[in-house]
Amino acid sequence: GNETTDLGPSDGVGLDAAELTTTLEGGGSLTVCYRAYGDEEYRALPGLLTVAGVRGYSPVVVWKHERVTLRFEGVGLSVGAEGDRVKFVRDGQCDGQNVIGWSAVSNELESGEPGGGDVVSVATYNIAFHETGNVTVCYELRSRGAYYNPLWPLLYVSPGSSDLEVQVE
C-alpha cells in the first residue's frame, strides 16, 4: 500500500481532522488505516474506500484481423452513449486524437457479466485489429472526467496465420 505523513493543514497540531490529497489508480475497495502521532501501530478506519476505475482488461494478446471482445473489469464502469470511452494508440500518449489509423474513439461499450471479488462492473468492446505490434489501450472513465488513462500491460496484436511465411526445405 501507500503511506504518507503529508497530511494537511501543515501548521495544525491537535486538530479534529486531517486531509490527504492524492490520486488513486485502478478501481476497487481499499481499507484506510491511520496512525496518530506517537502511536506505534496503524488502525483500520471503519468502512471501505471505493475507488472507481479499471482494474484490468483481457485478453492482452490478440490475432490480427480476428474479431475479439475486450473485457474491462473494475468499479464504476459505465456503458452506453454517454458512458465510458476507449481508444487505441501506438505511442503510449492517451491525450489528443492520436488514435491508430483504422480505429476510432468509441463509446460503444457494452455491459458484461461481473467477475468475482470486488470487481463489480464489466464493460466489453468488440474490435478487430489490422496492424501487428504493441498497442496502448486508453480508457476514459466518464465519472472521473474527460481524460484517458493508459491501461497496462500493453495489448499485443500478433500476426494472423495468413500473415506468416513458412519455408519448407
Side-chain angles (χ1 to χ4, degrees):
N2 295 331
E3 180 180 19
T4 185
T5 57
D6 189 20
L7 299 175
S10 60
D11 60 350
V13 175
L15 299 172
D16 293 328
E19 64 183 49
L20 168 68
T21 302
T22 188
T23 300
L24 300 169
E25 298 296 328
S29 298
L30 303 173
T31 300
V32 178
C33 299
Y34 186 82
R35 183 178 71 189
Y37 180 78
D39 285 356
E40 291 185 22
E41 296 181 9
Y42 282 91
R43 296 180 200 169
L45 298 179
L48 294 174
L49 172 64
T50 301
V51 179
V54 178
R55 296 203 56 171
Y57 73 97
S58 62
V60 295
V61 176
V62 298
W63 292 99
K64 180 180 174 183
H65 299 303
E66 184 176 302
R67 197 143 199 79
V68 65
T69 299
L70 292 177
R71 177 183 168 92
F72 301 93
E73 296 185 344
V75 175
L77 307 186
S78 176
V79 299
E82 299 298 319
D84 300 348
R85 299 192 307 178
V86 65
K87 69 178 179 178
F88 307 92
V89 301
R90 282 264 186 226
D91 61 6
Q93 301 298 314
C94 288
D95 53 346
Q97 295 299 319
N98 55 341
V99 296
I100 293 175
W102 47 264
S103 72
V105 174
S106 179
N107 61 348
E108 298 171 2
L109 296 171
E110 297 177 359
S111 186
E113 289 295 317
D118 61 358
V119 173
V120 295
S121 57
V122 173
T124 61
Y125 182 63
N126 246 326
I127 189 169
F129 292 90
H130 302 295
E131 298 173 12
T132 60
N134 288 321
V135 174
T136 300
V137 179
C138 302
Y139 195 95
E140 180 186 63
L141 190 69
R142 298 290 279 201
S143 64
R144 282 185 147 175
Y147 64 93
Y148 286 88
N149 286 313
L151 302 181
W152 303 104
L154 295 175
L155 175 71
Y156 179 70
V157 181
S158 182
S161 58
S162 63
D163 294 335
L164 299 176
E165 294 182 19
V166 178
Q167 182 177 356
V168 179
E169 295 181 19

